[in-house]
Amino acid sequence: MDAATTRRAEPAPRVRRFGRAERWVHRGNYLVMGVCVASAAVLYLPQLAEAVGRRELVVRVHEISGVLLPVPVLLGLASRRFRADLRRLNRFGPHDRAWLRSALTRDERPRTAGKFNAGQKVYAGWISGAALVLLGTGLFMWFTHLAPLPVRIGSTFVHDWLALAVGIVLIGHVTMALLDPEARRGMRTGSVERPWARREHRLWLEELEREEEADKSLDHQ
């Protein structure tokens, strides 16, 4: 009896990190963004343009994928868990500033983070803002009657250079994901190993463990 009770009391080896809505929003975001970036590359790189051809079709694919950029997030707002994640991403505390200082100085000591570390928060904010700017400038380029010529020229300049920056940042993001198999598994399956969570997102795991303890206390009452 005691052994069985002890086994039941042991924490699960994996913890729930993302629900279905968060995972599908992430996949939708990168599908739409991937199509948008790939079509932009075909439009702006002569070698790719020559290999692919059908420029008018590529332009239409780029325009439609650009307009669809906000759609996965807007659909995700129907999910309570996704809205909670957005609130977490929008909060920047003292531990986040310490995390950034440690990352910038290449300090090898363990870094404290909540469900999202400071780097993920900065990335999420930057890529969201960049997507909105790309959408706005792209609309000026698509619907030429919306603005006078100087505005359209400025929009083209901003759109092209910001698109290049987005491409570089996305390559960095994918590279970081490839270096962390457990983070990828968490986004793919929704759960992560508890030791990984303790090492990479200790404050979040401690929050979950407090909730687990509270649930156990209610069960025993």
Side-chain angles (χ1 to χ4, degrees):
M1 176 68 73
D2 291 340
T5 303
T6 302
R7 283 195 297 272
R8 284 197 298 271
E10 291 177 354
R14 301 185 68 81
V15 292
R16 190 72 168 169
R17 181 160 172 80
F18 296 116
R20 184 176 299 176
E22 298 103 302
R23 302 201 307 275
W24 277 107
V25 169
H26 187 269
R27 292 165 186 167
N29 273 335
Y30 280 94
L31 174 62
V32 176
M33 183 68 79
V35 171
C36 199
V37 170
S39 56
V42 172
L43 292 173
Y44 286 97
L45 296 177
Q47 299 86 344
L48 289 177
E50 184 177 349
V52 174
R54 306 193 67 178
R55 183 176 179 83
E56 186 175 344
L57 175 60
V58 176
V59 169
R60 292 293 170 262
V61 169
H62 184 70
E63 291 170 342
I64 293 170
S65 60
V67 171
L68 292 177
L69 280 175
V71 171
V73 172
L74 293 176
L75 293 176
L77 292 175
S79 164
R80 179 180 58 83
R81 288 180 62 99
F82 180 70
R83 295 196 302 271
D85 275 354
L86 288 182
R87 288 193 292 271
R88 290 176 184 269
L89 285 167
N90 198 39
R91 293 173 183 162
F92 214 84
H95 62 279
D96 293 308
R97 289 187 283 274
W99 192 100
L100 276 182
R101 283 195 300 270
S102 177
L104 292 173
T105 58
R106 298 181 180 276
D107 190 337
E108 297 299 327
R109 287 176 293 183
R111 300 167 190 162
T112 303
K115 185 172 185 180
F116 303 102
N117 63 44
Q120 292 167 329
K121 292 179 179 181
V122 170
Y123 169 78
W126 188 89
I127 201 71
S128 299
L132 291 176
V133 173
L134 288 172
L135 175 59
T137 53
L139 288 174
F140 283 135
M141 296 164 62
W142 188 1
F143 300 102
T144 55
H145 63 280
L146 292 177
L149 180 60
V151 173
R152 299 202 304 272
I153 293 174
S155 296
T156 302
F157 178 84
V158 172
H159 192 89
D160 291 353
W161 283 102
L162 185 56
L164 176 62
V166 166
I168 294 171
V169 170
L170 285 176
I171 290 172
H173 181 71
V174 171
T175 301
M176 293 295 291
L178 291 174
L179 295 174
D180 195 339
E182 190 60 25
R184 297 199 312 274
R185 190 175 297 113
M187 186 54 71
R188 188 175 67 252
T189 68
S191 65
V192 293
E193 292 181 352
R194 194 174 288 264
W196 179 90
R198 191 174 304 282
R199 183 180 70 252
E200 300 292 339
H201 302 275
R202 180 171 60 82
L203 296 179
W204 168 67
L205 180 61
E206 290 175 352
E207 179 184 331
L208 289 183
E209 290 176 339
R210 286 194 295 270
E211 292 175 358
E212 290 172 356
E213 288 298 322
D215 291 342
K216 290 177 182 177
S217 298
L218 289 175
D219 290 341
H220 288 119
Q221 288 179 358

